[in-house]
Amino acid sequence: MIIDKKPIKTPLTPIKSRLFDKYQVNVWVKRDDLNHSTVQGNKWHKLKNNLLQAKKQGKDTIITFGGAYSNHIAATAAAAKAEGFQSIGIIRGDELENEPEKWSNTLTTAFNNGMQFKFISRAAYRQKEDASFLSSLQNQYPSAFIIPEGGSNQYAILGFKDLVKDINEQCPEWTQIYCAVGTGGTLAGLIHFSQILQTQDTFLKPYSIKKILGVPVLKQGEYLALQIQNLLQDSENIKVKKTNNMTDINWKLLTQYHDGGYAKQSAKGKNFQHSFEKEFSILLDPVYTSKMVYAFYDQLKTGKIPKGSNIILLHTGGLQGRKTP
């Protein structure tokens, strides 16, 4: 079950390296890939309130959007199955419709969990947020609850309260969180609740500045800044009065680490991923978390991270994406 499942306090695993000693930083991996067997990481947080809303509205089907390598597609199929919903995935690109042998492991995983696919052209897919397109889709499937691409909406953001609370309890003096970014919902959730929830060290440090660094995994990710701002503005209870104990949050997108674009990975990127996994025995996914971790390493080596920093690398799951068709 997803909706009724209590949040799991996932490990905050310290990782040690001579490189980290050289630059005098402390580093942890927040192992949110361990929060659920099939709805891993940020997808569990994003989907639980969406599914609860679908049940409240009496819907029996979940419709959502994604590409061939979308962790959200795989997670939605698994979550819908667990909660007794049918699921339909509107997939970007119609070239795979009649060639299931070329499907990614992510698509195959979703299909095996009962998701029906509707492959559409890239031109048609660009209408996924258009009001008339969504109205037509709702009319076609009146008993369906429609979740946007990546699951990023106000219900998704509200699902990150427990994660931020968990992080604050495990490492009250964190200074930076690095997070991969696809559609911006996870980053918005982290920002929102990091501003609201007090850390445990406020009696020692009445006013501290923390940073959340988002690493877009697709080219030209600058547009996501506005999307994240809009998500924050649309969220419930987003207005927060600052007090002397308020934790100030600076956030920034690091758009230069896409490594060729969405679901692309260079030989350099692959070598980095393999090296990290060998050193720390923590598996990464090539679409999201590997690029995020690489960004952190590059930032560290280029002097962009102050000495004494306490850095958390958020592992958002998606490990089904490691496998090839």
Side-chain angles (χ1 to χ4, degrees):
M1 301 293 285
I2 306 300
I3 294 175
D4 298 326
K5 186 178 177 64
K6 293 183 179 180
I8 293 175
K9 185 181 285 291
T10 54
L12 186 68
T13 303
I15 56 175
K16 306 293 184 180
S17 164
R18 290 181 180 178
L19 180 69
F20 306 157
D21 292 339
K22 175 183 176 181
Y23 289 98
Q24 299 178 39
V25 297
N26 301 305
V27 185
W28 292 264
V29 178
K30 177 58 174 170
R31 297 296 308 275
D32 228 37
D33 56 311
L34 301 177
N35 65 354
H36 195 274
S37 58
T38 56
V39 188
Q40 286 182 357
N42 61 333
K43 304 308 177 188
W44 188 87
H45 301 286
K46 284 183 168 186
L47 285 169
K48 59 180 180 178
N49 286 320
N50 273 289
L51 294 177
L52 181 60
Q53 195 64 26
K55 286 202 171 185
K56 285 182 177 179
Q57 294 181 17
K59 305 295 187 180
D60 62 18
T61 302
I62 302 296
I63 294 179
T64 195
F65 305 82
Y69 297 89
S70 168
N71 291 338
H72 170 67
I73 287 291
T76 300
K81 180 180 179 181
E83 293 294 339
F85 291 100
Q86 298 180 52
S87 63
I88 299 173
I90 299 178
I91 309 300
R92 179 180 63 247
D94 50 7
E95 66 275 5
L96 292 173
E97 182 170 9
N98 298 314
E99 297 185 281
E101 70 279 3
K102 294 183 179 180
W103 289 358
S104 65
N105 188 69
T106 293
L107 281 187
T108 301
T109 299
F111 182 79
N112 289 340
N113 275 317
M115 179 173 274
Q116 302 175 47
F117 294 144
K118 183 178 180 181
F119 294 90
I120 62 175
S121 69
R122 283 168 170 75
Y125 190 84
R126 285 193 286 270
Q127 301 177 54
K128 64 185 181 298
E129 297 175 5
D130 182 79
S132 61
F133 175 82
L134 292 173
S135 177
S136 175
L137 186 64
Q138 190 70 78
N139 289 335
Q140 185 179 357
Y141 299 98
S143 64
F145 185 82
I146 300 174
I147 300 176
E149 182 183 47
S152 294
N153 56 16
Q154 66 270 34
Y155 302 120
I157 290 175
L158 295 175
F160 285 92
K161 180 178 180 179
D162 292 318
L163 175 59
V164 173
K165 182 179 178 182
D166 198 10
I167 290 172
N168 284 345
E169 291 175 351
Q170 291 174 321
C171 186
E173 297 188 8
W174 66 267
T175 54
Q176 293 99 343
I177 295 177
Y178 280 78
C179 172
V181 179
T183 55
T186 299
L187 194 68
L190 293 175
I191 296 164
H192 177 50
F193 285 108
S194 293
Q195 289 175 328
I196 293 175
L197 299 176
Q198 301 301 306
T199 59
Q200 300 301 307
D201 67 333
T202 51
F203 67 98
L204 294 174
K205 297 182 179 180
Y207 188 77
S208 59
I209 296 177
K210 298 173 181 284
K211 294 182 179 179
I212 299 179
L213 293 310
V215 181
V217 300
L218 66 169
K219 286 183 177 179
Q220 301 174 335
E222 292 80 6
Y223 78 94
L224 287 164
L226 178 59
Q227 192 160 306
I228 291 164
Q229 290 282 15
N230 290 337
L231 284 167
L232 289 170
Q233 290 172 5
D234 289 344
S235 296
E236 298 175 9
N237 305 319
I238 201 63
K239 293 182 179 179
V240 183
K241 292 183 179 179
K242 291 195 173 184
T243 68
N244 289 335
N245 286 336
M246 174 59 67
T247 302
D248 194 15
I249 300 296
N250 290 340
W251 65 276
K252 182 179 181 181
L253 293 179
L254 307 175
T255 59
Q256 66 269 43
Y257 297 108
H258 54 74
D259 198 21
Y262 185 73
K264 307 279 186 175
Q265 190 179 36
S266 66
K268 182 179 180 180
K270 290 179 182 178
N271 290 336
F272 170 80
Q273 179 177 338
H274 294 157
S275 176
F276 179 90
E277 292 175 345
K278 182 178 180 180
E279 182 174 2
F280 299 111
S281 299
I282 296 175
L283 298 181
L284 305 176
D285 88 282
V287 180
Y288 291 93
T289 52
S290 183
K291 295 179 182 183
M292 176 273 294
V293 176
Y294 179 87
F296 155 65
Y297 270 72
D298 186 71
Q299 294 261 300
L300 183 63
K301 292 177 182 178
T302 54
K304 295 181 175 63
I305 299 177
K307 292 180 181 179
S309 292
N310 294 321
I311 298 142
I312 295 175
L313 309 177
L314 178 60
H315 196 317
T316 48
L319 295 179
Q320 88 289 325
R322 290 174 54 84
K323 299 177 182 179
T324 55

